[in-house]
Amino acid sequence: MSMNKLTRERAAALTGAFAGKRIVVLGDVMLDEFIWGRVRRISPEAPVPVVEVDRQTLALGGAGNVASNLVALGASAIPIGVLGNDLDAERLCSRVRNVCGNA
């Protein structure tokens, strides 16, 4: 069995093939939260850094990240998952709608 090298042209053809496709994404759609800041000291109570928070960002994780990547490749992603009934679920739905449309 011979392995073909992935050329730029082949990679472009593969990624271009997603354009216009409708793809169902079934899985755990997560909301990743990132806390950005600086550490200037270690806590005296435990060996953990004390973070001075500058900002927080949210991003789709898990199957949501897959859906986001498909949209970036030109596909129409249809995410399917189960949500709770809380603020995080609302924030997650908002992010999914921003990326995938009326999901």
Side-chain angles (χ1 to χ4, degrees):
M1 172 194 284
S2 77
M3 295 290 287
N4 293 330
K5 290 185 180 180
L6 182 62
T7 64
R8 286 182 192 256
E9 293 78 19
R10 179 71 176 137
L14 289 171
T15 57
F18 284 97
K21 300 288 192 288
R22 293 178 60 199
I23 301 173
V24 172
V25 180
L26 174 64
D28 294 330
V29 181
M30 301 173 199
L31 189 62
D32 292 339
E33 184 172 7
F34 298 93
I35 299 173
W36 304 86
R38 292 179 301 281
V39 174
R40 298 192 194 272
R41 65 185 181 94
I42 301 297
S43 172
E45 292 84 19
V48 295
V50 177
V51 178
E52 295 177 21
V53 176
D54 292 330
R55 64 188 167 97
Q56 293 175 277
T57 57
L58 300 172
L60 291 176
N65 185 44
V66 173
S68 180
N69 289 335
L70 288 169
V71 170
L73 290 170
S76 173
I78 305 165
I80 298 176
V82 178
L83 291 174
N85 187 18
D86 58 7
L87 177 61
D88 286 334
E90 290 175 26
R91 296 189 314 175
L92 182 118
C93 279
S94 175
R95 295 294 184 293
V96 168
R97 282 188 192 100
N98 286 341
V99 170
C100 300
N102 287 333

